[in-house]
Amino acid sequence: MRLLVVDGSEILARTVKRLAPPGIEVHTLSSFREAMDSLLEDAPQALVVNITHADLPWRDLQLRCRDHSPPIPVLFESSFYEDPAAAGLDDLGPRSVFLAKPYRLSDLRREIRHLTRQARLNLRRTAKSEDARPDATPKEP
């Protein structure tokens, strides 16, 4: 499973790599634009985003993750905003979470595990629904 960390510095990515469960590939992007492009071209199964004070359409990123099939669970974290509404986000729903700094590493670890569990559930659901679909092409005898 691939987890993408979007942050201008390497600190969050290194921390996430250290706290992520075994078997999780952690990749890093440094810009909002790269993240939006990645969600269209090669979407990860989960996303960790450092929401900065920059005037960026964070809600667009949130909606792109929510509307993806399967939905991409997101951990939004920020030292600038105290809650999702202040950052311009909609209701997070069950797949996403918001952490305001300062937080404990144990909080981040717990939320990364929640995020990866959600992503694994999405992968299983997708695999089951694909297995349940009838073949579009008839099989030859």
Side-chain angles (χ1 to χ4, degrees), residues 19-109:
L19 299 176
I24 304 296
E25 293 177 35
V26 178
H27 299 269
T28 308
L29 293 177
S30 60
S31 77
F32 178 85
R33 175 56 33 213
E34 289 176 320
M36 291 296 277
D37 291 346
S38 176
L39 291 171
L40 288 175
E41 297 165 7
D42 187 23
Q45 287 72 46
L47 186 65
V48 175
V49 180
N50 176 17
I51 296 191
T52 65
H53 66 286
D55 187 23
L56 294 168
W58 300 112
R59 184 175 176 273
D60 291 353
L61 184 135
Q62 177 189 22
L63 294 176
R64 189 166 288 176
C65 291
R66 183 184 297 162
D67 295 342
H68 190 271
S69 182
I72 300 168
V74 184
L75 166 58
F76 296 99
E77 65 98 57
S78 183
S79 60
F80 296 99
Y81 301 104
E82 292 185 19
D83 58 55
L89 300 172
D90 284 343
D91 178 48
L92 297 181
R95 289 185 188 91
S96 297
V97 69
F98 187 92
L99 277 178
K101 291 180 183 177
Y103 52 75
R104 292 185 207 97
L105 281 179
S106 60
D107 295 334
L108 182 59
R109 177 182 287 117

Side-chain angles (χ1 to χ4, degrees), residues 17 44 53 103 121 123:
K17 283 179 186 177
H53 66 286
Y103 52 75
L121 285 172
L123 289 172

